[in-house]
Amino acid sequence: MTLLELKEGDTAVISRVSGGKGVSARMAGLGLHAGKKVRVVRAAPFRGPLLIEDISSGARTMIGRGIASHVEILDEKP
Amino acid sequence: MWKSLTKSHNSETVIALAGQPNCGKSTIFNAVAGFKVNTGNFSGTTVSYTETHVYIGGRTVRLIDLPGTYSISANDIAERVARDYLLSGQVDVIINVVDASLLSRSLELTLQLMEMNVPMVIGLNMIDDAQKKGMEIDIQALTSLTGLEAYPLIAVQGSGVQELFDAALKISENNFHRVPPVYDRDVEECIARIEARYPSLLRERLKMDTRFVIIRLLEMDEEFERIVAEADREFLEYVIENRRFLAEIHDWPESGVFASHRHALVLDLFEQVVAVKSRTGTSLSEKIDRFVINPVGGLVATVGAFFLMFAVSFWFGNLIADLLEVPLETLGSFLMSHTSGPTAMLVSGVYDGFTAGVGIVLPYLVPLLVILSLLEDTGLLPRIAFMADGLLHRFGLHGKSVVPIIMGYGCNVPAIMAARNLEYERDRIITMLMVPFIACSARTVIILALAGKYLGAGYTTLIYLGNIAIALGVSSVLSRLSADMSPGIIMDVPPLRKPYFHVVIRKVWARIMEFLLFAWPVIAISSIVLAVFSYVGIDDVINRVLSPITTYILDLPSELGITLFLGIFRKELTLIMLNSALGTTDVSAVLSSAQLLVLVVFTVLYIPCIATISTLWKEGGWKVALLSIALNTSIALAVAGSLAFLL
């Protein structure tokens, strides 16, 4: 399952970031790496990016849908 | 790259501010050095480094404001600038600026910087935000675990900055004993194995800490791999062998295995240093944020921001310009009646230049700059980027292009530089070519002072909307010509922050001074030159050369040739020289409404000003600069020409 499949408000733990070294390095720089628990705050209109919140720090990052499809997650339904 | 790694010894101490984007490095820099660099609440306000000399505790310090980097892996141009500077061996002390409210994320970079083995102190900025989030940071624990002194700061208020710099200077004097981060046994054994085989040739070539170099190699840093391959290919093979082994035993991809250990270390450190208390209630800024990231709220905020920017500038500018008109005219007629001959020519030149600055440019420029800096400081820009990204992709742009686009309304030069935030060449070039179509403050002044004054608010709005449509059209066509696909956006969204009055005032003041000190003299001299030109008759020559464009294509009086020519140097000149070229202060008496519209449209679109062209050259190369000139000029001729033909 990937981040892209989550709905607004869902939380999940990132298990792996694929899609090249550049993408995973950039995501890691923003604190989004394997083991991080994140929440989808909002999906932008017009197939825009997802607004992701790192639960532990509260930091928010927008990531495009293409990149979100490379972020694998462990599903964690409340 | 990294040529001279031994520092030339002089009395100067070099302090570099390094940290992740939007942690407040530039704010600290400005607090120490006076307002020298622009700041804003979004990542990547600083894209190249700025340096200044300051006196602290009776010593000369060279202070460097580096662009923000999430890591030292050099993923984009700004990160490369920061990394190359840090590795150049010139830096005596690093001040690692950290957004305390995002400590867990920020420590990732801190650990990487520690590996470089350069004296370092930590500045825990925005400590108030961290406290509001319920975070309690044990600074003593942080120091004992990392071996680095740390100081709490609220840089925007200037508090804690003095203590931080005193500590940085003290550390540069005394010997700095680092405590390198210690990883898992597997990793440490791996490093030790490699260190035992570290070639002496490499030690000579790369005068850097060996442990640091090994870690870069374990992280698959391409630049280091290249250098090591040149020096000793066998050694590199050995490193790769070890890296693969490490990846295998941890069941992790080779590129990420080392980073995963660092993440674990950071998490561990964070848990030992920070106690988080749960907190209740939502703050006002969070409530505003919730509204803004809604489709409806976002649209309201975006449109509202643009409307505010232009409507206030329009209304306020007109008000002040009208108030100033009578006194300035009285002064003018007084001067004319008391001078004659060549003196009169000179005086009228000086008078025109003065009036232009005070009466035409400043009334519109000041409100525009105030609102632009409010937009920058609150953090609304990344939210607009979030809402607009999907839509902008249809025009071949990127959410991140929002920052250059909106900055472009102030001045195209920093806007083109801000395109460095875009990681991919394709996105960057499209954004750079699109920015010159955006009506910067100089051209906004032209729109407001001509269209606003003589044609009314309806036409002014139409000109703006048309301008945006043309800019989007250009990027859309350009993106279709490029086969590459944009991989998509990854961008930090900082919390909304309340703008500080003193910061806004200082920012606006710095930009106004730029106008007064650089632009105004050019305008004054040009108006004198124009007066001399018309006295001698050279302006006729330029007018005649340009007359195929002015009279034939644009259906304007040929006298305007010289003003359009001068506009290439500074856009304001077109407007300012208009009065002297036409010999009247009431432009509408000479030009019809249709002609005014054509003139404004042409001026907004044609050749970018000299400063913009040279920035394009620097950032994108001569091809991009020439392409931009060609694009702008041909589109300006086509659009303004067809308007002239139709009206």
Side-chain angles (χ1 to χ4, degrees), chain A residues 32-77:
Chain A
L32 300 172
H33 47 71
K36 270 291 166 80
K37 193 171 176 185
V38 294
R39 183 169 70 95
V40 176
V41 181
R42 197 165 295 281
F46 311 109
R47 290 191 45 79
L50 305 178
L51 187 61
I52 303 297
E53 185 176 82
D54 173 349
I55 303 256
S56 66
S57 70
R60 289 179 171 188
T61 309
M62 63 174 102
I63 55 178
R65 284 173 202 246
I67 290 164
S69 71
H70 288 295
V71 180
E72 290 162 34
I73 50 161
L74 306 168
D75 193 11
E76 191 185 297
K77 285 274 183 266

Side-chain angles (χ1 to χ4, degrees), chain B residues 31-51:
Chain B
V32 177
F35 197 94
K36 288 227 171 107
V37 287
N38 196 27
T39 52
N41 184 15
F42 52 88
S43 296
T45 315
T46 309
V47 283
S48 71
Y49 69 84
T50 312
E51 60 173 50

Side-chain angles (χ1 to χ4, degrees), chain B residues 436 568 571 605-610 612-613 616 628-629 632-633:
Chain B
I568 301 172
K571 293 286 175 181
L605 297 175
Y606 83 128
I607 308 185
C609 71
I610 292 279
T612 305
I613 295 171
L616 280 168
S628 172
I629 294 172
N632 275 74
T633 314

Side-chain angles (χ1 to χ4, degrees), chain B residues 190-246:
Chain B
C190 178
I191 294 176
R193 272 200 305 277
I194 298 170
E195 205 157 17
R197 289 228 207 155
Y198 199 87
S200 53
L201 178 66
L202 201 57
R203 204 164 276 147
E204 275 164 38
R205 279 205 193 166
L206 274 177
K207 292 195 173 55
M208 289 178 202
D209 190 74
T210 52
R211 187 183 163 90
F212 170 73
V213 175
I214 294 167
I215 291 175
R216 294 315 310 150
L217 293 172
L218 288 176
E219 290 211 67
M220 289 179 93
D221 190 306
E222 283 160 21
E223 212 155 343
F224 278 87
E225 281 188 358
R226 197 172 43 75
I227 294 169
V228 172
E230 277 168 23
D232 191 333
R233 182 160 283 284
E234 238 171 81
F235 174 66
L236 181 64
E237 299 292 340
Y238 184 66
V239 174
I240 293 171
E241 197 182 299
N242 274 280
R243 187 167 74 199
R244 285 204 183 121
F245 173 71
L246 205 59

Side-chain angles (χ1 to χ4, degrees), chain B residues 162-184:
Chain B
Q162 182 71 48
E163 292 80 354
L164 178 69
F165 276 86
D166 287 345
L169 281 176
K170 224 162 91 197
I171 278 181
S172 75
E173 281 168 3
N174 305 336
N175 278 335
F176 171 75
H177 299 290
R178 70 143 170 192
V179 185
V182 179
Y183 295 94
D184 258 23

Side-chain angles (χ1 to χ4, degrees), chain A residues 21 26 42 57 60 62 64, chain B residues 133 220 293 489 491 493:
Chain A
K21 193 173 142 241
R26 190 151 283 278
R42 197 165 295 281
S57 70
R60 289 179 171 188
M62 63 174 102
Chain B
K133 270 173 118 174
M220 289 179 93
I293 57 169
I489 195 168
M491 190 183 183
V493 183

